[in-house]
């Protein structure tokens, strides 16, 4: 960790040729990942990465330099490089007085995972591997157990000096089932900003069994029908549709550039009046949670859409300044000290509604229940999307009937927001890795179970086939 005197010198050097703002971002990150395939431990990997990024802002110009050498000489050289790139008119006197600011820890960890016994982790994985093999038709099981400790420190020319420690853990089971030429997959993943106590919430063997049963169910499923129909999307990972098709359009860089369909629409109706959408990194121990963002701004709950009305976007420092705002919303995030912060989602979700889960099905005569969504493709500037349904079922006369495979959901995110007819009261979250501008960060997606009317379903059923 850097001391106060050195940081003040580095910040002064970074502003040597002028500039409105200078910042030091320090990161110490340790990651463990154990992967098993076919009941054999294939990879045990531990990584350690530490370094500093120095950012200088001059008007709308941003320069950045980073180094993994924390010696005073190299830090001053990185500061000089950033200063030269953002070269301005220079200032005669620069006074920087850093004051350490403490932040409350909203995400306590009971059992720190990075130092947890590796043999104990392997034992958890092996038991899960066995549990996932629910049938001889399960041909492949892959399990990943990842944990990470991340310590960050941000100091800037406005006198801010703040630190945070973040701990993440994720357990993922993927299965492959095969009968003849037909292959289907299953997958379950749970992750939180916590320690080994994750397994007090989720039994790894039950997670593995669920992944195995999912693949077998889809192996026995009939081809999915196609056409426009009502669709019920399950809670949890169903929120990936809102994240990808709408959430990215609510990030400030897309708003400032005018490339989002939501630009200039604050105060306007953009969704069904029962829809409230929120981004909130303060949710205790959730996968996308933190105490401060990567610019040192305290985490905050931001209501994006309230009862169908667009209220706010997600801001980082640079884009907030471009828009004439006094502060960001605490959404400035970066993949590592090698990257500039950009506006990103954290835990982004549709809030609970007032309906019960069972009530949603009673209102559907013929439709599709998307119990689990898979991967998808999204045009983030328009919200057009195509998502695969990893586990789907027919809904007939208000009842879940046969499983169907090969379904896809096709539509436009902003349009779908207006078609949400009912929202259950069973909000849940799932972990994901969000990619943007070649940076990947952890972000939770979430929603209660939703009933959406009149969505285009792409199916694999041929005429006359059932």
């Amino acid at each position: 960790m850097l001391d106060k005197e050195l940081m003040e010198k580095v910040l002064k050097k970074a502003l040597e040729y002028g500039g409105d703002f200078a910042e030091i971002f320090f990161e110490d990150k340790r990651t463990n990942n154990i992967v098993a395939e076919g009941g054999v431990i294939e990879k045990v990997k531990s990584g350690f990465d530490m370094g500093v990024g120095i950012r200088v802002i001059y008007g709308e110009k941003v320069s950045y330099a980073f180094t993994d050498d924390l010696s005073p000489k190299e830090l001053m050289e990185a500061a000089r490089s950033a200063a030269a790139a953002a070269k301005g008119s220079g200032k005669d006197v620069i006074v920087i007085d850093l004051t350490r600011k403490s932040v409350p820890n909203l995400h306590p960890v009971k059992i720190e995972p990075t130092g947890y016994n590796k043999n104990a982790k392997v034992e958890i994985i092996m038991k899960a591997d066995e549990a996932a093999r629910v049938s001889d038709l399960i041909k492949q099981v892959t399990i990943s157990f990842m944990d990470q400790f991340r310590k960050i420190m941000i100091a800037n020319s406005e006198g801010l000096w703040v630190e945070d420690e973040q701990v993440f853990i994720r357990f993922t089971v993927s299965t492959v089932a095969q009968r003849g030429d037909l292959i289907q997959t299953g997958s379950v993943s749970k992750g939180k900003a916590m320690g080994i106590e994750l397994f007090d919430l989720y039994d790894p063997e039950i997670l593995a069994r669920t992944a195995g049963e999912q693949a077998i169910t889809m192996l026995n499923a009939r081809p999915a029908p196609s056409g426009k129909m009502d669709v019920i999307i399950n809670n949890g990972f169903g929120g990936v549709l809102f994240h990808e098709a709408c959430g990215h359009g609510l990030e400030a860089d897309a708003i400032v550039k005018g490339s989002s369909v939501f630009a200039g629409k604050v105060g306007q109706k953009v969704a069904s009046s029962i829809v409230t959408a929120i981004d909130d990194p303060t949710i205790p121990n959730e996968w996308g949670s933190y105490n401060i963002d990567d610019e040192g701004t305290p985490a905050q709950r931001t209501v994006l859409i309230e009862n169908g009305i667009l209220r706010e976007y997600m801001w980082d420092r640079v884009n907030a300044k471009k828009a004439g705002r006094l502060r960001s919303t605490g959404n400035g995030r970066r993949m590592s000290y090698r990257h500039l912060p950009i506006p990103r989602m954290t835990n982004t979700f549709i809030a609970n509604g007032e309906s019960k889960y069972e009530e949603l099905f009673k209102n559907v005569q013929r439709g599709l229940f998307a119990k689990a969504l898979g991967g998808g493709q999204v045009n983030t500037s328009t919200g057009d999307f195509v998502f695969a349904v990893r586990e789907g079922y027919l809904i007939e006369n208000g009842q879940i009937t046969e499983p169907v495979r090969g379904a896809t959901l096709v539509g436009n995110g902003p349009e779908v927001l207006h078609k949400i007819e009912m929202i259950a009261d069973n909000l849940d979250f799932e972990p994901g890795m969000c990619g943007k501008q070649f940076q990947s960060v952890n972000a939770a997606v979430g929603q209660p179970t939703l009933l959406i009317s009149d969505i285009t379903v792409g199916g694999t059923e041929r005429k006359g086939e059932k």
Side-chain angles (χ1 to χ4, degrees):
M1 191 64 77
L2 313 180
D3 64 43
K4 180 175 184 288
E5 181 180 358
L6 175 58
M7 288 191 293
E8 289 177 345
K9 287 182 179 178
V10 169
L11 288 171
K12 289 177 182 176
K13 173 62 72 174
L15 293 176
E16 186 175 48
Y17 302 123
D20 304 319
F21 174 82
E23 171 195 78
I24 298 171
F25 176 82
F26 165 88
E27 181 184 48
D28 175 1
K29 185 161 61 180
R30 301 157 196 264
T31 306
N32 297 310
N33 196 11
I34 302 176
V35 177
E37 291 185 2
V40 176
I41 299 296
E42 289 285 338
K43 181 171 69 176
V44 180
K45 184 177 180 182
S46 295
F48 168 75
D49 198 14
M50 181 187 293
V52 165
I54 298 172
R55 178 171 62 157
V56 178
I57 301 175
Y58 183 67
E60 293 195 354
K61 188 175 182 180
V62 179
S63 64
Y64 196 70
F66 62 86
T67 177
D68 60 3
D69 186 335
L70 303 187
S71 66
K73 178 184 176 183
E74 289 302 320
L75 290 174
M76 295 298 280
E77 178 59 25
R80 188 200 63 76
S81 297
K87 195 171 183 178
S89 56
K91 295 181 179 178
D92 294 331
V93 179
I94 301 170
V95 177
I96 296 172
D97 183 11
L98 294 175
T99 302
R100 187 193 292 264
K101 181 180 178 183
S102 62
V103 293
N105 182 14
L106 305 175
H107 318 291
V109 174
K110 293 180 181 176
I111 306 174
E112 205 281 316
T114 52
Y116 196 69
N117 185 284
K118 278 191 171 60
N119 290 332
K121 293 179 180 178
V122 169
E123 185 177 354
I124 292 172
I125 290 172
M126 289 296 101
K127 288 182 177 178
D129 179 275
E130 185 177 346
R133 300 176 187 279
V134 296
S135 163
D136 291 340
L137 297 174
I138 296 292
K139 302 302 181 185
Q140 184 175 336
V141 177
T142 303
I143 299 176
S144 171
F145 187 148
M146 186 283 297
D147 58 76
Q148 183 178 88
F149 169 83
R150 182 179 190 240
K151 184 170 186 175
I152 61 172
M153 185 280 299
I154 299 104
N156 67 36
S157 56
E158 295 176 350
L160 176 71
W161 177 14
V162 66
E163 301 170 5
D164 191 22
E165 291 185 356
Q166 302 161 359
V167 175
F168 303 100
I169 183 170
R170 186 175 185 181
F171 189 79
T172 303
V173 182
S174 301
T175 56
V176 176
Q178 183 174 12
R179 181 191 295 119
D181 294 333
L182 182 60
I183 295 174
Q184 293 293 305
T185 62
S187 181
V188 173
S189 184
K190 295 295 179 183
K192 299 285 183 183
M194 59 172 55
I196 298 297
E197 63 269 22
L198 174 77
F199 299 120
D200 294 336
L201 300 177
Y202 306 104
D203 185 324
E205 294 176 52
I206 293 177
L207 296 178
R209 196 173 302 123
T210 301
E213 291 172 347
Q214 186 182 85
I216 294 298
T217 298
M218 290 299 97
L219 202 63
N220 295 323
R222 55 170 281 190
S226 58
K228 286 202 170 185
M229 62 185 78
D230 293 343
V231 173
I232 292 177
I233 301 178
N234 204 20
N235 64 348
F237 197 68
V240 70
L241 196 155
F242 178 80
H243 174 105
E244 297 290 357
C246 301
H248 283 295
L250 296 168
E251 292 171 333
D253 46 354
I255 299 302
V256 169
K257 292 175 184 173
S259 60
S260 167
V261 295
F262 294 108
K265 292 187 177 179
V266 169
Q268 297 183 25
K269 187 172 175 58
V270 297
S272 164
S273 59
I274 62 172
V275 173
T276 292
I278 297 165
D279 181 86
D280 188 0
T282 71
I283 298 172
N285 300 103
E286 195 45 73
W287 176 247
S289 292
Y290 47 71
N291 297 309
I292 55 172
D293 72 357
D294 293 332
E295 297 180 306
T297 305
Q300 72 171 58
R301 175 185 174 93
T302 302
V303 176
L304 305 170
I305 299 170
E306 183 179 28
N307 299 325
I309 306 298
L310 180 60
R311 296 299 187 195
E312 183 58 288
Y313 306 118
M314 291 168 278
W315 297 92
D316 66 331
R317 182 187 184 94
V318 168
N319 285 288
K321 184 179 178 182
K322 287 180 180 177
R325 295 170 56 101
L326 293 177
R327 59 182 64 88
S328 83
T329 52
N331 288 89
R333 306 185 66 190
R334 60 183 110 196
M335 183 172 171
S336 78
Y337 68 88
R338 296 180 176 85
H339 301 84
L340 278 165
I342 53 177
R344 305 295 297 267
M345 286 174 272
T346 62
N347 306 307
T348 311
F349 60 98
I350 293 176
N352 267 328
E354 297 180 351
S355 300
K356 296 299 180 184
Y357 173 81
E358 298 79 8
E359 293 174 349
L360 274 62
F361 292 89
K362 292 178 181 176
N363 285 273
V364 179
Q365 292 303 306
R366 179 181 177 275
L368 177 74
F369 175 39
K371 186 174 181 180
L373 292 186
Q377 295 181 341
V378 177
N379 182 331
T380 56
S381 63
T382 64
D384 291 338
F385 65 80
V386 178
F387 272 94
V389 177
R390 195 170 60 234
E391 183 178 0
Y393 298 83
L394 288 179
I395 306 171
E396 297 171 299
N397 300 318
Q399 300 291 323
I400 298 174
T401 57
E402 297 177 85
V404 292
R405 65 171 182 268
T408 56
L409 303 182
V410 182
N412 175 272
E415 291 178 4
V416 164
L417 286 178
H418 291 279
K419 295 182 176 181
I420 297 177
E421 301 284 347
M422 297 180 73
I423 302 178
D425 58 357
N426 60 349
L427 171 65
D428 196 11
F429 294 90
E430 297 284 349
M433 296 304 297
C434 177
K436 175 180 173 182
Q437 296 180 21
F438 304 103
Q439 295 195 48
S440 178
V441 299
N442 53 311
V445 298
Q447 68 170 41
T449 304
L450 306 178
L451 168 57
I452 305 173
S453 63
D454 206 29
I455 288 189
T456 298
V457 175
T460 53
E461 182 182 84
R462 290 173 293 186
K463 190 175 182 180
E465 180 185 26
K466 281 192 176 181

